Amino acid sequence: MAEEKEEGKKPEGKKEQPQKKEAAKEGGKDGTAKEGAAKEAAAKEGAAKEVVAKEDDAKKGAAKEGTAKEATSKEGAAKAGAAKESAAKEEAATKGTASEGPAEDGAAKKGAAPKEGESNAAAAPQKKEGGAKKADEKGDKKGAKKADAGAHGPFKSHKHKAAFFLAIESLLGKISENIDVWDELIESGPAWFFNTITELSLEDLPAATAEHVLVVLIAAFQSLEKVEIREHFLKRLSVPLYLSLSPRRLKLEIEAFPKLKKPIAKLQKQVAADKAALAGERTYFPRIVTGFLIVLARTDALWAKEGPAAKGKQKAASAFVAHAELCSRYLEFFTDLLGQMPTRRFSHAYLEDVNVLVHCKMMQFSSADNPSADLFRKMLGLFEGSLDFPVHNQTAVAMTSNDSEQQHCGKATVFQRVAYRYYSDKLRDAAMCNLSVIDSKHQLSQYVAKLSDESLAELCEKLCLLDKRLYEKVPLSREYLLQIILTRHTKKPDYSDLNTVPVYPDENLLWDESRIPGDQFTGASALALPKLNLQFLTIQDYLLRNFKLMQLESTYEIREDIKDILAKMRPQYHEETGSVTFRGRHRMAMPCSSMEVIKVAPPPIGFTRPAEVRAELHMNLNFMPYDHVQLEWDRMGQHDVLILISFGPSDAKAADVRKRYGVTSVRGCEIIDIRDDDGNVSSGFDGLSLTGVNRHVRVFLDPVAYQKDKNNPATENVYDSFTLIMRRRPEENNFKAVLETIRDLMHFPTVVPEWLHDVFLGYGDADSAHYKNIDVEEPLPDADKVVVERKEDHTDVLFEEDIPRVHDITFSPAQAEAITTANRHGLCMVVGPPGTGKTDVAVQIISNLYHSFPNQITLVITHSNAALNDIFSKVIKKDIDERYLLRLGMGEKELETDKDFSRRGRVNYMLERRLTLLKKVAKMCASIGVDEAFADTCESSEHFFSHHMRNRWVRFKDAIPKEAGERTARWVVDHFPFTKYFDGTLRPFWAGATGFGKAMEAAEKGWAHFEKVFDELGDARAFELLRLAKDRGNYLLCKQAKVIAMTCTHAALKRRDFLHLGFRYDNIIMEESAQILEIETFVPMMLQQPLENGESRLKRVVLIGDHNQLPPVVKNPTFQKYCHMDQPMFTRFIKLGVPHIELNAQGRMRSELGDLFRWRYKDLQDLPHVKQVSEFQKANAGFTYTHQFIDVEGKETEPQEHFYQNLIEAEIVVHTYMYMRLLGYPASKITLLSTYRGQNHLLQDVLNHRCPEESVYGAHPRVSTVDKFQGQQNDFILLSLVRTERVGHLRDVRRLVVALSRARLGLYVFGKLDLFSNVWELRKSFEVLKKHPTKLSLNTAEVSFPSTRASGDAGAEVTTVSDLNAMAVLVKRMETVVVGEEKKRRSAHEVLQPSDAQLAYEEEQRDTFTQATKWQGPRAGWYFGTGTYGLGYYKDPLSPEEDEDGREAAPGKTKRAGGDAGAPQAEPPAKKKKHGLDEEARREALRKVKAAQPVARSSGSRQQPPKDAEPPAKLSKTQPAEPDAKA
């Protein structure tokens, strides 16, 4: 298997230093070592022997297929196991710990499979020799033979062993990169690998090797959606595991869940009949737990031996560290098993029965004064929280706080009863005391300390905490027994209480690398972080994990922003005055003149923190003397987050940022409003202008953090010390709203629709939320017309406003199925591959719901404003009354329409509409001769309708003749009372009324018009009664709007307001849901209070997205890859097997371009127009093929960390672009894509150098990364893959799908073929690309764009461009001849203009991509590019740097999206008019160039460019050059 990994991402074990024999021998003789050995023996007796003894008595010898430790029986088993481990420890002490010595060191250093095999081969003889020696000492030859046979473990041969560890190494690379781990292995047949890994005894492997195997096991149990993995691994954690429980614990489990009785009895009979039955299912998990306890005891022995030598050091010896990390990895494995119900249901009982938690707490190395065990302590806390999580293990029902309290009281009551009955003489006080006394660990320990060791053991046995068979045969330490009682009976902390957790990070959390890792993730060790897997225990578990990860991710982003700002602000603390000065500037930071707390509200009932804390910040805008930057600060709005920083003494040479700049405190706050000296107030939304330069910002402080600071003397006065204010972009500040929402949901009823609950948590039937499985009383509407045809005939329309708006799209069968399914009750998931019309489907769903359920409210959610505006602009064109449409959020200003669909705009529309309707009422009054005063108000109009209009209509209906002969059209015309009103309509009112029936139809239409008018007036009446704009807006939101659109960020920010207003909705449609974080998908479902019966009002959830494209952006790689934070709910549901509809017809691109990624989807076809539209049938002018992979012999460079560039690729990409422009391709139709932001900057540099905008090439094309271009498209894409040494993150096939699906007409990929084509994940796409030659093939006979040549026709003359030099010669000659001919034809003073044909084509083809050529404001503060001009830079002191992640940071750390100008900028400078080329002159010139074209040369030949051809730029490794005047 060809495996490629990013450098720095390769998981490695910790390096281990071999111990010297002399030191080891001395340590073995040392009294301390003896004492440690004794302690270890006691721990061993309380660990491995307990498990082994229980196993043997329960199984009666059935574990003979297991390891030697499991094969022994009764007391002999415990003694043999103790002897074996004791011998191993003695050998480690005298021979330098063979398993941790050179053999393991080799595996730890490299992690490579061959060396891994060598390490096992080196360790095996020593273990074999030790085992044989022990067996000979007993005189048992069979034992010696078993030890000899066990040298290879489950491996049949060395070849088998090498293949296994090679597969382990391959899987580790994929796990560390967070890409699909198992597909390649499953395709090649996984049975041999799965069987081997489940038969391994991890405790017999070197620590680093065992940790690697555990990582793969963890990944396996996280991938239970794979059928092959589920069938092999899940059965090893199932009902047969209960047979390994102690009898008392098994009885308790059956009593708690009686349904277990029959299946367990059946299994017991099966095992009684055949001792070997279900051996694998019964012994697999006990073997792992036993191995862990052995490793735990071994680790404690190593600490006892190495601890004194390592005292006072930051890290102990490597053997101990490696074992401690292995223990942490075991705890990670157990925690993951407890975190999903299918495995928790069985593993929880066994882990408690064996007292794994107690064993861990008994270890001396886990003491707080050992920094080397810090990770183990944190993992132990995570494991304990998972073990004690309040959920019923069998029913998966969440336990309320009352349930948990009752469970704890029940345990305490049982303890008191047992104490009173059996130990009343010594435990009478404990038996008679209040239950709250037992909650105290100190008090309980005092009570039970009165008992003897034997009585303690008996008490544990009677409380079902210990197996009697164990303590009768093996003496257990007193401390161990006490710890068991205390662990089970002291009250557990409430892990879900988030009211004491601040939402803003402080200085301690910001720089805690153990909780907030840096930007490198190798997967080398376990991390004490929660994970977002496929399943969750309860809603509270789901919220708790997301809260922690969201908090840590936002903290990481803030930390990176602070680093960037401090590097430019350069704060200097003056100790003599205590003041701080800043020697630089940054547009996102401003000095704080002073700050005071102005209000502290009393705590609410039941809380100790204040209800509200307000403060006021003072600053002077003159610090940043640039108008547009000051305007940005004035435009900060309500809910924007500010970060406050204070400083103290610093150390300029310190590596730590906090010490280097002297950061002492960091706090957060939320803006209320901004004021100037004159008292003018701005909240950012009202557009008010403030005067002067002094600003007073009123903010909310975090009450939790404020109370903690006041309770701590060290931080009591922290709010008087802040000297710097840092702001962040609004789109980055939703973290606070999300965290507060989660905190609210944790303490209030969280109602998920009953039909969605099990699917949401990942349990039960995956299709239980499908409409076919939901019993709903709601009547279904008639089937909507899905295929919508254009209607041109509107002759029956009376008024212009009644002309219906239609959508001229004919939907495919898959689209029609998606639309009709979304109309039903339940969950509807739509997978939309590139170009399949996801947005059009979403729009039609919205329209159908509006017409089918007119009284229901539909919520439209997207992640970005651009996507929301795209879908909303199409909704406007549908036949939906615009008074029911509402667009919330600041992005409404970017909506491409003249109408205002914001809350304020809709209120104004209703007020204007009210006046229009009242005019119609006045016309009605005049038509029937009634006083027009009825048309003064909506209320009087309603009286007019009831008493005059309806009465006349009723009298007209009652007067209809009953005799058929009298029923004529003339009678209807003569008696209809409102004919006069319809004078002047678009068509005569009675036109076509040729009979009585037709005449009555016209009359009915007229009356329907009146009813519609007064219905609208009824809606407008509320706006007449309400006088405040705020009240009108709230009424519009809660009572009138039927289709409400907002981003998920806005939903989180305004959730509390929605709940306060009583907002209600029935349906949610979420577009681009595969790009939305898990929790951000969940929050929009929680914007309303439950119904009176406690159920959710939500009826439909429609998720539309594509899980085969890139997931949401998570900045921290650890949270992304280790915690799976980038897994959206949409993808999780797909993995769980939730039914979904996959759109299967694309219409975006040529069919041959679709072949590049078609294999990733089930049955992706092309729409008929792909084979009919002319632009898809024509070839690309100047190119032989419509797509091609060009093999480039370039070399990647890394000027800065993660800032990859490839100069040769950049040059040839730009020269290809120049070639296209000279042929007449519009710049707006070409996009230059790359897979790294460093290459983006380099492409911009080369473009500036080769194609000045004043030259013949005109405006530059759009340059973007693949990640930023997701969701967009262009006609022609030039893609640079950059990397030449390692594949990098393109190994994620989702990124490849995005890269290959952006082009409509032409895709040309530049990269190193040998590197990418051998990667298993990418092979299918590259098989298609390799069908064409890998050298750029051009058709030089064509001299203009567009081409008349048919697609697939290579043309008359084909030129193969062998290298960059050849391309440079071609382009230079074309440029020289074309421009020269143009100049001769035109006057020297005439500005060159495009031909009429070219202008007409560009006008016809213009689309959204023309926006990419507009001036976008200042470039990033620093960017790097390489060329003949060196490692250049461009610096704008006011424009923060940016990278593809969207965060302002140092070079290589960007945040602004491609094409996003960021904050408002000054007006762009005037640009010179671009030159163009006359079409006829171009063709004539290129015909002359034809004769001078270089011919294709054999490989290896090299053609030198002419003297007038500028050579390609070369990479300079010197210091950055000074920017030229143009820059």
Side-chain angles (χ1 to χ4, degrees), residues 1242-1258:
L1242 181 56
L1243 286 169
Q1244 289 284 9
D1245 279 358
V1246 178
L1247 279 171
N1248 292 335
H1249 187 68
R1250 302 289 185 197
C1251 312
E1253 293 195 1
E1254 295 79 11
S1255 69
V1256 68
Y1257 300 103

Side-chain angles (χ1 to χ4, degrees), residues 20 60 102 238 242 377 401 425 495 511 546 661 680 704 738 838 886 1084 1124 1174 1177 1285 1319 1335 1429 1465 1509:
K20 294 183 179 181
K60 302 289 185 180
S238 56
Y242 280 120
R377 287 191 297 272
S401 57
D425 55 336
Y495 297 100
W511 278 277
N546 278 279
Y661 297 107
N680 298 317
V704 176
V738 172
K838 296 187 291 291
L886 180 61
H1124 313 300
S1174 60
Q1177 308 309 314
E1285 296 179 5
V1319 179
K1335 293 296 180 182
Y1429 30 86
Q1465 308 290 342

Side-chain angles (χ1 to χ4, degrees), residues 773-785:
N773 301 315
I774 301 176
D775 295 329
V776 186
E777 298 179 359
E778 181 183 54
L780 291 175
D782 295 334
D784 279 324
K785 187 177 180 182

Side-chain angles (χ1 to χ4, degrees), residues 512-784:
D512 185 354
E513 289 289 339
S514 64
R515 299 181 64 188
I516 318 289
D519 55 1
Q520 297 240 358
F521 173 72
T522 62
S525 64
L527 296 171
L529 297 171
K531 297 179 183 178
L532 302 184
N533 296 326
L534 293 181
Q535 299 172 324
F536 300 91
L537 300 179
T538 63
I539 298 293
Q540 286 71 28
D541 177 43
Y542 173 88
L543 294 172
L544 189 61
R545 296 194 209 184
N546 278 279
F547 180 91
K548 292 179 179 178
L549 287 179
M550 193 72 180
Q551 183 190 44
L552 297 178
E553 167 69 7
S554 61
T555 302
Y556 171 78
E557 295 178 17
I558 292 173
R559 184 176 71 185
E560 297 302 303
D561 289 347
I562 291 176
K563 287 181 181 179
D564 173 50
I565 286 177
L566 295 183
K568 293 185 177 179
M569 294 291 288
R570 293 180 294 160
Q572 184 175 13
Y573 179 77
H574 304 281
E575 295 189 26
E576 59 277 4
T577 61
S579 60
V580 180
T581 58
F582 300 92
R583 294 166 291 171
R585 293 191 181 98
H586 197 291
R587 72 188 308 162
M588 307 300 286
M590 190 75 68
C592 178
S593 306
S594 61
M595 172 184 176
E596 61 268 358
V597 177
I598 59 177
K599 179 182 178 181
V600 179
I605 297 176
F607 293 86
T608 58
R609 57 166 176 82
E612 177 185 290
V613 181
R614 295 193 180 200
E616 188 168 275
L617 312 174
H618 307 282
M619 61 184 180
N620 190 305
L621 298 181
N622 273 341
F623 177 80
M624 188 64 70
Y626 300 95
D627 292 342
H628 64 281
V629 179
Q630 292 183 2
L631 185 60
E632 292 174 11
W633 283 88
D634 276 348
R635 287 182 176 175
M636 291 189 303
Q638 190 178 9
H639 304 301
D640 281 356
V641 171
L642 299 177
I643 303 298
L644 309 177
I645 308 173
S646 63
F647 301 91
S650 60
D651 181 4
K653 297 181 180 180
D656 181 64
V657 174
R658 182 180 178 184
K659 296 179 180 178
R660 188 189 315 157
Y661 297 107
V663 177
T664 57
S665 301
V666 179
R667 297 292 185 272
C669 59
E670 178 185 330
I671 293 179
I672 301 173
D673 57 47
I674 305 175
R675 304 166 183 256
D676 58 19
D677 288 339
D678 296 332
N680 298 317
V681 181
S682 172
S683 61
F685 303 125
D686 45 27
L688 295 178
S689 298
L690 302 179
T691 61
V693 294
N694 292 323
R695 295 293 179 265
H696 314 284
V697 186
R698 294 194 175 182
V699 297
F700 286 120
L701 298 177
D702 185 359
V704 176
Y706 181 83
Q707 187 62 39
K708 284 187 175 182
D709 290 331
K710 289 302 177 183
N711 293 339
N712 185 359
T715 59
E716 185 177 3
N717 300 319
V718 68
Y719 295 97
D720 300 329
S721 63
F722 294 116
T723 54
L724 184 66
I725 304 172
M726 184 187 86
R727 66 184 173 95
R728 308 180 74 222
R729 292 188 176 91
E731 62 270 18
E732 300 168 356
N733 288 332
N734 68 321
F735 76 91
K736 176 182 179 293
V738 172
L739 293 179
E740 288 182 336
T741 296
I742 297 175
R743 193 160 64 180
D744 291 344
L745 293 173
M746 287 290 291
H747 300 284
F748 295 96
T750 302
V751 181
V752 176
E754 184 179 356
W755 47 267
L756 184 61
H757 182 273
D758 290 349
V759 171
F760 177 78
L761 293 178
Y763 306 127
D765 295 332
D767 59 351
S768 60
H770 195 263
Y771 74 88
K772 293 180 180 179
N773 301 315
I774 301 176
D775 295 329
V776 186
E777 298 179 359
E778 181 183 54
L780 291 175
D782 295 334
D784 279 324

